[in-house]
């Protein structure tokens, strides 16, 4: 047992108690379960990947699991940045990662899989995708071929060889993946329609997964830890039932499995994926009773991760005997130092996971994992998670605006040791984020604001809410540095006619527009993100007869698969009409003696060059924001840099030194939507990387 594990036995917190997994002693019960952040390079866990997991080890996690869906065969091409375990070159990179993680006191394992049909025929080496049966997977849209005997022989060998590479790489164990991939494709009656020795009743459907498990166990020997992450209940009419899942798990343990990481549900389509990996607006720990039953029925350790977002929920799961090891994966993406803060008595300073699922959606949207409000995630080689104190002179900083960008700037500057005053016009901080949280399902977004306010108070920031700061107010503080984070205002200027007649999504979210039930409302969105979807959900649930119009070829293209199901459920429940490929040109009042004051919206098709009209009670538009930059413009003449940002220095994380007016009294910058209309992550990242070198 490592020294840190021995020390933790004196702490009554069940999260910090050691756990014996076969020969392996974990220093605590907290796990970062297998997931793929897409930080690899050439399919290998190089420096960026290593730094990401090392941060969690330094932050106190007991076990970190790499390689979410690391693939064993070339005909399992990466679909979201997966590691390539079929390459011998991976072994030294695994060794570097495991050596560093071990030195920091944590154990490390890797998930091993063949993706089966959960990938594309049109990537990698363009080999045909294989599965138990030739059934299309909706999420990745591949039509697989039914695996032949020779496919099965080589894939078994590939699993065994990949496991050996993991062992040679110094890992403490591996975890086979059996939900939505190749192995459970055989186990589930929903995806196994075979009529050979691998299809039919449960015994035959178990045959291939058991063959893989036995081959892996033989290849790595009796002492190496081998677990399985599997769906024990697919929660679908034609899928694997709970009794079958328990029977299979029991047999797998006989074949050589040492622990179960329990899953309930399926992931082959957006709606089921969002239920299996639940986001904000859903109960915490929704499957804990399910895992408790598994733990009572099986004789091997049970691990589980699904919206266990805070220490209180995790402690409950352990104290009630619902599991042995608690996965707090997204929680440790938000704050990789979660365990260290628990150990040091600073639980109140843990950066919260708000359940936005941006970490997952960003993989498909922008290529890799990003936390919605921790920009250091995945950037550990450039940006520290713990802000160091400055060694330079203490400066006076004024931040104007208490949205995510302004609060982050104030927090970082205060961590650096500077004296910070923050002005916020509203009685409450939060800006547009607080508007978004008016959707009851997304109210947890306020945690992004609340944590920063708490940190600012802890650090001594002078927070002045309800103060509309003007130029004189700023200058009265005699600042060395001014950051304008005043956000933006809704942009209606795109309309050729009728700008004054329309409402915007802010009107809906703030409550200033509440149409009467059965009012006809046209909501036009050429933003493609969350604001219009939030407004649409509120309008629909309050009884409006809603038509959602967009010039895009898809609905809300910037809302990912983890978040779109909740909106689409509301659309279906309230019979929202969706009209694609139409651009709103103008809005006017109805005319003539019989005019009733309603609105006529003119829609244009760029594909046919034709116009159509809608007569409605209200038109709501979402076209992003324009910078609220009046104060910034007024402050420009007195600044040294005249607002200029040295992009080279910014990207190099160096201090801004531009001087364009020697007589200027302060540096001046604007951040967040005061620059241009963007998202929460961009606003916080703006503030962090600009303020970090100051």
């Amino acid at each position: 047992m490592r020294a840190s594990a021995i020390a933790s036995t004196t702490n009554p917190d069940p999260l910090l108690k050691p756990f014996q997994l076969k020969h392996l002693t974990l220093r605590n019960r907290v796990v970062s379960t297998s997931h793929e952040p897409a930080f690899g390079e050439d399919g290998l866990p190089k420096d960026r990947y290593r730094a990401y997991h090392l941060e969690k080890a330094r932050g106190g996690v007991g076990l970190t699991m790499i390689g979410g869906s690391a693939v064993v065969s070339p005909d399992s091409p990466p679909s979201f940045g997966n590691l390539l375990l079929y390459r011998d070159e991976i072994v030294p990179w695994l060794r570097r990662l495991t050596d560093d993680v071990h030195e920091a006191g944590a154990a490390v394992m890797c998930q091993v899989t063949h993706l089966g049909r959960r990938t594309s025929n049109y990537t990698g080496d363009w080999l045909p995708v294989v599965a138990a049966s030739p059934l299309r997977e909706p999420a990745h849209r591949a039509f697989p071929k039914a695996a032949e005997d020779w496919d099965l022989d080589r894939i078994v060998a590939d699993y065994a060889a990949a496991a050996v590479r993991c062992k040679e790489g110094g890992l403490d164990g591996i975890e086979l993946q059996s939900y939505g991939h190749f192995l459970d494709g055989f186990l589930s009656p929903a995806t196994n329609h075979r009529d050979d020795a691998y299809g039919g009743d449960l015994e035959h459907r178990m045959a291939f997964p058991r063959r893989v498990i036995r081959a892996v166990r033989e290849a790595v020997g009796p002492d190496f830890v081998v677990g399985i992450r599997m769906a024990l209940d697919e929660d679908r009419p034609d899928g694997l039932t709970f009794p079958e899942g328990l029977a299979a798990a029991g047999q797998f343990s006989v074949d050589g499995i040492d622990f179960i990481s329990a899953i309930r549900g399926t992931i082959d389509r957006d709606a089921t994926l969002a239920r299996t990996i639940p986001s904000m607006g859903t109960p915490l720990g929704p499957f804990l009773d399910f895992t408790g039953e598994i733990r009572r029925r099986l004789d091997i350790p049970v691990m589980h991760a699904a919206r266990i977002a805070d220490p209180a929920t995790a402690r409950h799961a352990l104290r009630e005997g619902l599991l042995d090891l608690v996965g707090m994966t997204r929680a440790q993406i938000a704050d990789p130092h979660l365990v260290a803060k628990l150990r040091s008595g600073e639980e109140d300073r843990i950066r919260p996971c708000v359940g936005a699922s941006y970490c997952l959606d960003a993989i498909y949207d922008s290529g890799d994992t990003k936390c919605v409000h921790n920009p250091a995630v995945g950037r550990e080689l450039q940006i520290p998670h713990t802000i160091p104190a400055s060694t330079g002179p203490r400066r006076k900083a004024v931040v104007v605006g208490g949205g995510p960008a302004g609060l982050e700037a104030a927090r970082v500057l205060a961590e650096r040791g500077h004296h910070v005053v923050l002005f916020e016009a509203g009685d409450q901080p939060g800006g547009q984020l607080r508007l978004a949280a008016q959707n009851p399902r997304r109210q947890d977004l306020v945690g992004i604001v609340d944590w920063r306010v708490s940190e600012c108070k802890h650090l001594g920031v002078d927070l002045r809410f309800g103060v509309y700061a003007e130029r004189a107010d700023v200058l009265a503080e005699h600042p060395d540095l001014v950051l304008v984070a005043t956000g933006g205002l809704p942009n209606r200027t795109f309309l050729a006619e009728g700008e004054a007649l329309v409402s915007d999504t802010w009107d809906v979210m703030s409550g200033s527009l509440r149409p009467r039930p059965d009012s006809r409302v046209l909501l036009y969105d050429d933003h493609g993100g969350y604001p219009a979807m939030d407004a649409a959900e509120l309008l629909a649930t309050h009884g409006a007869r809603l038509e959602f119009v967009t010039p895009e070829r898809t609905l809300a293209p910037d809302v990912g698969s983890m978040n779109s199901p909740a909106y689409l459920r509301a659309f279906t429940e309230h019979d929202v009409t969706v009209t694609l490929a139409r651009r709103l040109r103008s809005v006017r009042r109805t005319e003539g003696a019989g005019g009733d004051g309603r609105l006529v919206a003119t829609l244009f098709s760029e594909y046919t060059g034709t116009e159509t009209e809608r007569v409605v009670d209200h038109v709501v538009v979402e076209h992003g924001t324009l910078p609220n930059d009046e104060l910034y413009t007024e402050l420009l003449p007195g600044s040294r840099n005249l607002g200029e940002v040295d992009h080279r220095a910014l990207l190099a994380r160096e201090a801004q030194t531009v001087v364009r007016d020697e007589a200027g009294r302060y540096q001046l910058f604007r951040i967040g939507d005061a620059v241009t209309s963007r998202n929460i992550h961009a606003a916080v990242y703006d503030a962090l990387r600009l303020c970090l070198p100051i």
Side-chain angles (χ1 to χ4, degrees):
M1 184 182 296
R2 298 184 180 95
S4 59
I6 295 172
S8 69
T9 60
T10 62
N11 193 311
D13 189 336
L15 291 169
L16 301 180
K17 291 181 180 179
F19 184 77
Q20 194 71 29
L21 180 58
K22 211 166 185 175
H23 67 280
L24 179 66
T25 300
L26 304 177
R27 60 180 170 181
N28 56 59
R29 305 295 183 96
V30 180
V31 180
S32 172
T33 56
S34 51
H35 61 288
E36 184 47 68
F39 295 156
E41 300 173 48
D42 305 318
L44 304 173
K46 295 186 179 180
D47 293 342
R48 184 187 184 201
Y49 204 105
R50 181 170 71 253
Y52 169 71
H53 284 280
L54 178 58
E55 195 71 36
K56 298 184 185 191
R58 289 172 173 165
V61 71
L63 167 64
T64 189
M65 305 186 79
I66 72 169
S69 307
V71 298
V72 302
S73 304
D75 64 342
S76 174
S79 56
F80 37 86
N82 314 64
L83 300 182
L84 306 180
L85 286 176
Y86 58 81
R87 296 179 57 187
D88 290 337
E89 302 97 306
I90 202 169
V91 173
W93 290 105
L94 290 174
R95 174 64 69 176
R96 293 179 195 179
L97 187 153
T98 55
D99 286 350
D100 282 358
V101 169
H102 287 158
E103 186 176 354
V108 56
M109 298 185 189
C110 183
Q111 186 180 83
V112 178
T113 195
H114 190 293
L115 291 167
R117 64 186 190 140
R118 193 171 173 78
T119 185
S120 171
N121 278 307
Y122 313 125
T123 188
D125 294 315
W126 285 58
L127 294 170
V129 169
V130 295
S133 298
L135 305 175
R136 180 179 184 266
E137 198 239 23
H140 292 77
R141 299 181 293 279
F143 288 93
K145 79 158 188 169
E148 302 175 61
D149 288 344
W150 59 271
D151 290 311
L152 301 181
D153 291 344
R154 65 175 175 78
I155 290 172
V156 169
D158 287 346
Y159 266 102
V164 169
R165 291 186 187 97
C166 290
K167 184 177 181 181
E168 291 173 345
L171 290 159
D172 296 293
I174 62 170
E175 170 188 84
L176 302 177
Q177 210 275 23
S178 183
Y179 69 106
H181 291 193
F182 195 67
L183 291 185
D184 62 290
F186 284 84
L187 188 60
S188 171
T191 49
N192 185 342
H193 297 175
R194 299 174 74 98
D195 57 8
D196 61 4
Y198 296 109
D201 62 19
L202 178 62
E203 181 178 355
H204 288 90
R205 286 185 275 117
M206 284 193 298
F208 183 73
R210 292 187 63 193
R211 184 179 165 191
V212 169
I213 292 166
R214 290 195 298 266
V216 166
R217 175 54 71 196
E218 182 178 357
V220 298
D223 298 327
F224 193 64
V225 176
V226 178
I228 189 167
R229 193 171 198 181
M230 65 175 291
L232 284 89
D233 180 359
E234 291 190 317
D235 191 26
R236 56 184 290 181
D238 57 347
L240 188 75
T241 65
F242 189 41
E244 286 184 321
L246 283 170
Q251 187 59 65
F252 293 167
S253 68
V254 172
D255 293 329
I257 290 296
D258 299 312
F259 69 88
I260 296 283
S261 183
I263 297 289
R264 186 170 192 262
T266 59
I267 58 173
D268 63 348
R269 59 201 72 204
D270 289 353
T272 57
L273 175 68
R275 288 197 294 269
T276 302
I277 308 176
S279 298
M280 66 171 61
T282 61
L284 293 171
F287 305 127
L288 288 177
D289 289 341
F290 169 74
T291 60
E293 185 64 21
I294 295 169
R295 188 171 183 268
R296 285 188 289 272
R297 303 275 286 272
L298 296 178
D299 294 329
I300 61 174
V302 175
M303 179 192 305
H304 174 66
R307 197 147 156 72
I308 303 176
D310 64 283
T313 304
R315 288 192 192 99
H316 163 76
L318 291 173
R319 284 176 175 149
E320 296 300 315
L322 304 177
L323 40 75
D324 297 289
L325 295 168
V326 58
M328 301 188 72
T329 308
R330 285 180 284 180
Q332 289 177 97
I333 293 175
D335 194 338
H337 297 167
L338 181 151
V339 178
K341 290 178 181 178
L342 289 176
R343 187 178 292 118
S344 64
E346 295 184 298
E347 184 172 337
D348 60 329
R349 298 195 67 189
I350 293 172
R351 186 190 309 240
C353 171
V354 298
S357 291
Y358 189 61
C359 50
L360 292 163
D361 283 342
I363 295 175
Y364 291 96
D365 180 49
S366 58
D368 53 25
T369 285
K370 296 173 184 67
C371 175
V372 70
H373 76 125
N374 184 354
V377 172
R379 300 183 177 108
E380 286 81 5
L381 295 174
Q382 295 85 31
I383 298 177
H385 284 266
T386 300
I387 306 300
S390 172
T391 58
R394 191 176 192 227
R395 304 180 68 186
K396 176 69 174 289
V398 171
V399 179
V400 185
L407 289 170
E408 178 71 354
R411 179 189 77 88
V412 175
L413 289 169
E415 288 274 21
R416 295 287 284 161
H418 303 301
H419 176 50
V420 184
V421 175
L422 182 143
F423 292 106
E424 163 56 37
D427 293 334
Q428 291 183 308
Q432 293 179 60
L433 194 149
R434 193 168 288 278
L435 278 178
Q438 295 307 302
N439 181 340
R441 189 177 51 76
R442 284 167 43 87
Q443 62 186 4
D444 286 354
L445 285 172
V446 173
I448 296 171
V449 175
D450 290 345
W451 179 77
R452 284 175 170 78
V453 171
S454 177
E455 285 294 291
C456 284
K457 290 179 178 178
H458 177 83
L459 296 163
V461 174
D462 184 354
L463 297 170
R464 303 181 191 177
F465 301 141
V467 178
Y468 187 90
E470 297 182 334
R471 179 175 178 273
D473 300 301
V474 173
L475 298 182
E477 299 297 326
H478 304 290
D480 303 302
L481 171 69
V482 179
L483 289 128
V484 176
T486 46
L489 296 172
N491 182 4
R492 308 178 186 182
T493 62
F494 66 95
L495 286 170
E497 176 189 356
E499 180 181 338
L501 298 177
V502 303
S503 302
D504 55 60
T505 57
W506 287 29
D507 295 323
V508 176
M509 302 308 293
S510 68
S512 63
L513 174 66
R514 278 287 183 266
R516 294 189 306 273
D518 288 329
S519 295
R520 291 184 60 87
V521 179
L522 185 148
L523 195 161
Y524 175 73
D525 174 38
D526 65 359
H527 177 291
Y530 291 89
M533 297 296 277
D534 281 331
E537 186 173 349
L538 279 190
L539 287 167
T541 55
H542 283 92
R545 289 187 290 163
L546 182 63
E547 180 180 8
F548 191 104
V549 179
T550 176
E552 305 282 357
R553 60 187 173 90
T554 59
L555 178 67
D558 289 342
V559 176
S561 60
M562 295 301 302
N563 284 285
S564 59
Y567 293 115
L568 295 178
R569 181 171 60 248
F571 277 38
T572 302
E573 289 172 347
H574 300 283
D575 200 23
V576 174
T577 299
V578 175
T579 300
L580 303 177
R582 293 289 192 279
R583 190 171 296 279
L584 179 64
R585 278 189 159 178
S586 62
V587 178
R588 69 179 191 276
R589 290 283 184 193
T590 53
E591 300 174 350
D596 55 6
R598 301 179 80 194
L599 302 177
V600 179
T602 300
L603 306 178
F604 176 71
S605 168
E606 294 172 332
Y607 299 97
T608 64
T610 57
E611 290 184 344
T612 56
E613 293 184 342
R614 302 284 196 273
V615 179
V616 297
D617 298 298
H618 302 279
V619 174
V620 177
V621 299
E622 173 53 48
H623 185 72
T625 60
L626 290 173
N628 183 20
D629 57 4
E630 181 180 349
L631 177 62
Y632 170 78
T633 302
E634 292 176 352
L635 290 168
L636 274 174
S639 67
R640 289 199 303 277
N641 62 319
L642 300 183
E644 181 176 337
V645 178
D646 180 347
H647 285 172
R648 183 207 59 79
L650 181 74
L651 298 178
R653 278 72 180 180
E654 296 173 355
Q656 295 288 317
T657 59
V658 173
V659 176
R660 297 191 64 187
D661 184 350
E662 294 285 355
R665 289 170 285 171
Y666 47 83
Q667 286 184 297
L668 175 67
F669 303 101
R670 54 177 172 159
I671 53 178
D673 279 13
V675 180
T676 190
S677 183
R678 288 173 294 165
N679 65 12
I680 298 168
H681 183 87
V684 175
Y685 188 29
D686 260 10
L688 175 59
R689 63 179 170 180
L690 180 66
C691 296
L692 184 61
I694 293 173

